[in-house]
Amino acid sequence: MKALVLSGGAGTRLRPITHTSAKQLVPVANKPVLFYGLEAIADAGITEVGIVVGDTADEIREAVGDGSQFGIAVTYIPQDAPLGLAHAVLIAREFLGDDDFVMYLGDNFIVGGITGLVEEFRAERPEAQILLTQVPNPTSFGVAELDAGGRVVGLEEKPKQPKSDLALVGVYLFTPAIHEAVRSIEPSWRGELEITHAIQWLIDEKRDVRSTTISGYWKDTGNVADMLEVNRSVLETVPAVNEGTVDADSEIIGRVRIEAGARISGSRIVGPAIIGAGSVVNDAYIGPFTSVSEDCRIEDSEIEYSIVLRGSSVTGVRRVEASLIGRDVEVTPAPRNPSAHRLVLGDHSKVQISS
């Protein structure tokens, strides 16, 4: 069995972060989201992995390499444009061959991994098996309709009037039957080959399409709110470790991971939180559910429920919360006189100012 991991999306909902970084590499608890998926695939006993890449291919290649750090062998599959999930299956035909495979969206996060799902599929081998979860806003997802016996009878992509609240999670399992399906469908109104249409083709052809509804934790980390929520969830599991330096004037409360070379002085850190390697925290408060990446500086400031990426600094700022701060960013107070805000903002930025 092989795996096909999709890492070619543009990440428009995470701009401006994704103007300069692949959305699959935005870190959760100081580890890229994509890495959690690759680890779940390896844990399920799958070692041959194809990664579909787009404009951020070089960055993905640099981060993942040949896959040996995860115990897998990686083949990179270029996709010229994001033309749909079924298109990704189409262009991966040579890599996939006639093997069964799991398709995993690289920006999805599932607590508990996929080992049980893969084992169930290997034992039963339906033509397709999809993962579902109940959501409060089904119009934003692909939605499945089940019959009284729990069989999948229909799929719709972001329906205006959904027939259920069961959304497709970004993990799919297929036999080679899917290749005929993706060749048989037409592009949607979005100009994409939709995987929901391919699975619907299998249903219409009376093929065996099954579903598993999960009650565990799943998130599509496509926007800032979901990124922060996933970060919170992962930090709940991080053990307390101190590999850095904490002076006597500092207070560490709860589960806080302090990585090698980090220096904490005159500060209070309330976990769960993580302070990255080489970072400096001085005269600051870091509250729960905060991830500070490597080589950052947090000084004379308060920050909580936030993610700070590599090489950034927050100095002299009274309070920061529910924020995603990119790489090599400087956050400082505005000058008191004249009373004005001075901003340098990239495209698609969002700023909230207390006047």
Side-chain angles (χ1 to χ4, degrees):
M1 192 169 184
K2 294 176 180 174
L4 186 66
V5 178
L6 276 57
S7 296
T12 54
R13 292 178 294 160
L14 276 174
R15 287 176 178 167
I17 299 292
T18 50
H19 279 309
T20 54
S21 177
K23 66 175 180 177
Q24 299 84 5
L25 297 181
V26 176
V28 168
N30 287 5
K31 182 164 67 175
V33 171
L34 175 61
F35 287 15
Y36 291 96
L38 295 177
E39 289 170 355
I41 287 166
D43 289 343
I46 299 171
T47 57
E48 293 183 72
V49 180
I51 300 182
V52 177
V53 291
D55 292 341
T56 57
D58 291 344
E59 192 179 5
I60 298 288
R61 287 176 186 267
E62 182 180 355
V64 177
D66 63 1
S68 56
Q69 61 179 307
F70 307 100
I72 58 177
V74 169
T75 299
Y76 291 97
I77 303 167
Q79 187 180 33
D80 294 336
L83 297 175
L85 305 188
H87 180 262
V89 175
L90 202 62
I91 64 173
R93 182 70 174 91
E94 182 178 350
F95 165 75
L96 295 169
D98 291 325
D99 293 310
D100 297 347
F101 67 97
V102 56
M103 184 166 74
Y104 197 112
L105 274 57
D107 59 352
N108 274 228
F109 186 90
I110 300 174
V111 169
I114 60 170
T115 300
L117 184 69
V118 169
E119 289 175 350
E120 179 185 348
F121 179 79
R122 280 174 162 155
E124 302 292 337
R125 288 200 76 235
E127 269 85 6
Q129 187 161 346
I130 59 176
L131 208 56
L132 304 174
T133 191
Q134 288 184 301
V135 295
N137 54 334
T139 55
S140 301
F141 300 92
V143 174
E145 180 185 2
L146 308 183
D147 64 15
R151 291 278 180 170
V152 184
V153 296
L155 298 173
E156 290 184 279
E157 188 64 36
K158 298 181 180 177
K160 292 181 179 178
Q161 294 182 320
K163 295 178 181 178
S164 80
D165 61 354
L166 293 173
L168 277 76
V169 175
V171 177
Y172 310 79
L173 296 107
F174 297 115
T175 68
I178 193 65
H179 298 301
E180 183 182 2
V182 299
R183 291 194 305 268
S184 301
I185 61 174
E186 298 293 332
S188 67
W189 63 270
R190 300 192 299 174
E192 298 185 4
L193 289 175
E194 311 283 2
I195 198 66
T196 49
H197 292 178
I199 300 170
Q200 184 65 54
W201 185 90
L202 291 174
I203 295 170
D204 294 341
E205 293 291 314
K206 310 301 181 186
R207 306 293 181 89
D208 189 5
V209 177
R210 303 185 189 181
S211 68
T212 300
T213 301
I214 62 170
S215 57
Y217 187 84
W218 164 76
K219 280 288 184 182
D220 168 4
T221 60
N223 60 50
V224 174
D226 285 342
M227 284 293 305
L228 293 174
E229 177 62 18
V230 171
N231 191 64
R232 181 201 64 76
S233 177
V234 175
L235 285 176
E236 292 273 23
T237 69
V238 170
V241 176
N242 182 8
E243 298 173 339
T245 303
V246 180
D247 75 356
D249 294 328
S250 295
E251 185 179 18
I252 309 298
I253 301 171
R255 292 193 314 279
V256 178
R257 179 179 177 86
I258 302 171
E259 297 186 336
R263 303 192 305 279
I264 316 297
S265 59
S267 298
R268 187 171 188 255
I269 303 177
V270 180
I274 184 168
I275 310 299
S279 287
V280 174
V281 179
N282 182 42
D283 292 333
Y285 166 77
I286 295 180
F289 311 120
T290 302
S291 293
V292 177
S293 193
E294 66 269 23
D295 300 321
C296 293
R297 175 175 286 273
I298 312 294
E299 189 167 15
D300 189 25
S301 300
E302 298 181 4
I303 185 167
E304 185 170 310
Y305 192 64
S306 295
I307 299 173
V308 183
L309 303 192
R310 186 187 67 236
S312 291
S313 63
V314 180
T315 57
V317 178
R318 184 176 61 185
R319 182 79 174 177
V320 175
E321 63 181 30
S323 298
L324 174 57
I325 297 172
R327 295 178 297 187
D328 301 311
V329 169
E330 295 181 9
V331 181
T332 59
R336 294 188 179 276
N337 293 305
S339 181
H341 302 290
R342 175 175 290 179
L343 307 173
V344 179
L345 302 173
D347 296 347
H348 307 285
S349 294
K350 293 182 180 179
V351 175
Q352 294 180 327
I353 296 174
S354 298
S355 299

